[in-house]
Amino acid sequence: MSSKKKSIKPFRPKAQWDAQKAESIWRALRSAIKEIHKERASALSFEELYRNAYNLVLQKHGDMLYRGVSEQVKLHLRSVGETVAQSSDDNLLQTLNQAWDKHTNTMVMIHDILMYMDRTYVKQQKKDHVYNLGLKIFLSEIARHPQVKDRLLELLLHKIERERAGEVIDHSLLKNILAMLVALGVNFNAHTREVYQQDFEKHFLQATAQFYLSESQDYIVKNTCPDYLMKAEQRLKEEEERLARYLDSSTESKLISIVQKELISDKAKVLVDMENSGCIAMFKDEKLDDLKRMYSLFKGVDQRNQSVNTLKYIQGALSEYAYAKGQRLDILQ
């Protein structure tokens, strides 16, 4: 009796598709992607589309599928980019936000069709996942379009400047746009905040430093120490609210450090020494609320930045006041 070993052969498609057959399947998928971009996906059979994409990859046509999807998404977003670029300054943020919403929705659907390609071909070839590929194309064709990128930054900074001047702005719109910049920071399937930092944050922080440098210089010469401290306290509160409303959380430490530096640490000695309203005057007049505010603001600076010591100025003024008061008591005796 023969004792030959039986082996189980791996599944193979019944017939290998030729280039013509593969091209025909891709054309059907491309047509479906166009319908998705036109927001007419309800008429499509996603099960059939998934099966077609699955078979293309199984039949070793993953490269054609990936390249074709990339080209189709780029072609679509290039057209969208031109439309966004033609928007007026009054409408640019809103138009960009709408384009972003549509893009993320459509890329979720396209990704659903191509999940098998993501799990196999993309992983093997070390390429970007389909959704992240769409993010990179959106960045290059729309967010960094030559007629969009600089205008976008200017509009964002202008909105924040107007809010600091007391105007009411659309927080929801700014939050969406800044969240978009965070999401666009994809680097080979790993997310960073590089786009947000380069295209917005570094410019925002520079503008913030300049704003508070100018404001503090003007305010300190026109107001008493207690009035200045109240203004600084209010500004810090406003920036914390700004962080909560629309800025990315990664900006928190940098922003507050800048505001503290320009409003408090760089002005600490001048504030303490202000004639008729500084620390000595507050000690004399027993302005406890103002002294408490100064101590709280100075302590906040020192806790955030270990290389700074603003409380020493208050301590120095207290020592000077106590010494002077002691001298007067000696004279009276």
Side-chain angles (χ1 to χ4, degrees):
M1 187 175 175
S2 173
S3 59
K4 284 184 180 179
K5 265 190 173 180
K6 291 184 178 180
S7 61
I8 299 173
K9 294 182 179 180
F11 168 77
R12 285 189 175 85
K14 291 181 180 178
Q16 196 74 18
W17 289 355
D18 59 20
Q20 188 175 359
K21 169 75 170 176
E23 181 63 32
S24 172
I25 296 296
W26 159 241
R27 282 198 299 270
L29 284 168
R30 182 177 61 191
S31 177
I33 291 172
K34 288 180 179 179
E35 290 300 294
I36 290 172
H37 282 145
K38 292 174 183 176
E39 299 180 275
R40 297 201 294 243
S42 59
L44 300 173
S45 168
F46 277 76
E47 184 180 347
E48 181 183 351
L49 294 170
Y50 176 87
R51 188 166 56 249
N52 284 339
Y54 173 91
N55 285 326
L56 271 179
V57 176
L58 201 64
Q59 294 277 352
K60 309 301 181 186
H61 294 289
D63 186 61
M64 180 185 74
L65 177 59
Y66 189 89
R67 187 174 60 252
V69 170
S70 176
E71 290 171 354
Q72 186 56 43
V73 171
K74 183 177 290 187
L75 189 66
H76 169 70
L77 290 183
R78 186 163 292 168
S79 173
V80 175
E82 291 304 316
T83 300
V84 173
Q86 291 169 15
S87 298
S88 66
D89 287 350
D90 289 341
N91 296 323
L92 180 62
L93 295 182
Q94 188 64 44
T95 305
L96 179 59
N97 186 46
Q98 290 170 353
W100 172 245
D101 282 345
K102 288 181 181 178
H103 173 71
T104 52
N105 289 334
T106 56
M107 284 308 301
V108 166
M109 287 185 273
I110 293 170
H111 163 262
D112 287 348
I113 295 168
L114 302 170
M115 278 192 293
Y116 181 73
M117 183 179 75
D118 260 353
R119 291 198 303 266
T120 55
Y121 171 82
V122 166
K123 186 176 180 180
Q124 292 162 4
Q125 299 299 317
K126 294 181 168 57
K127 292 181 179 291
D128 284 306
H129 290 304
V130 169
Y131 188 86
N132 291 346
L133 174 67
L135 293 179
K136 287 187 172 182
I137 297 172
F138 189 97
L139 176 63
S140 62
E141 298 297 333
I142 300 180
R144 286 182 173 171
H145 186 288
Q147 276 77 55
V148 173
K149 182 183 176 182
D150 291 343
R151 290 171 61 208
L152 171 59
L153 173 62
E154 289 171 9
L155 286 168
L156 290 171
L157 295 181
H158 180 70
K159 292 284 186 185
I160 296 170
E161 180 184 2
R162 298 320 306 153
E163 185 180 40
R164 283 175 176 154
E167 292 185 14
V168 176
I169 64 170
D170 187 340
H171 296 139
S172 177
L173 181 57
L174 260 65
K175 183 176 183 178
N176 289 346
I177 294 295
L178 294 176
M180 175 197 78
L181 293 178
V182 172
L184 290 175
V186 62
N187 182 13
F188 187 58
N189 297 325
H191 278 86
T192 71
R193 284 178 166 81
E194 183 180 352
V195 174
Y196 172 82
Q197 290 167 349
Q198 293 298 315
D199 290 19
F200 170 73
E201 187 189 64
K202 72 174 185 179
H203 305 282
F204 165 68
L205 294 175
Q206 289 168 359
T208 297
Q210 185 56 50
F211 176 83
Y212 284 117
L213 171 63
S214 176
E215 181 174 82
S216 64
Q217 288 175 337
D218 180 65
Y219 207 80
I220 203 166
V221 299
K222 295 178 180 177
N223 292 274
T224 64
C225 178
D227 287 341
Y228 181 94
L229 293 172
M230 288 179 66
K231 179 73 170 180
E233 185 178 59
Q234 178 61 30
R235 282 305 199 186
L236 276 166
K237 182 181 177 183
E238 289 172 5
E239 295 303 329
E240 288 166 356
E241 290 171 350
R242 193 162 287 118
L243 282 159
R245 284 170 177 161
Y246 55 81
L247 295 172
D248 186 69
S249 59
S250 64
T251 304
E252 191 268 343
S253 180
K254 304 169 201 173
L255 174 60
I256 300 303
S257 292
I258 285 173
V259 179
Q260 286 180 328
K261 176 183 182 299
E262 298 300 339
L263 291 183
I264 303 164
S265 60
D266 284 0
K267 305 294 186 299
K269 191 171 189 318
V270 174
L271 288 166
V272 168
D273 294 342
M274 283 180 78
E275 192 173 355
N276 301 322
S277 70
C279 252
I280 300 295
M282 288 191 282
F283 288 140
K284 284 179 182 177
D285 298 335
E286 297 184 356
K287 292 189 174 181
L288 299 184
D289 288 342
D290 293 328
L291 285 168
K292 182 180 178 181
R293 182 175 292 110
M294 174 179 274
Y295 177 81
S296 177
L297 289 170
F298 283 25
K299 184 180 178 182
V301 170
D302 295 356
Q303 286 179 332
R304 187 174 289 275
N305 188 344
Q306 299 298 317
S307 65
V308 173
N309 184 1
T310 58
L311 288 174
K312 68 181 180 183
Y313 299 123
I314 299 177
Q315 293 165 351
L318 179 58
S319 296
E320 181 184 337
Y321 174 71
Y323 177 78
K325 196 163 187 178
Q327 289 290 93
R328 284 196 299 273
L329 287 173
D330 286 343
I331 292 170
L332 291 172
Q333 289 175 358

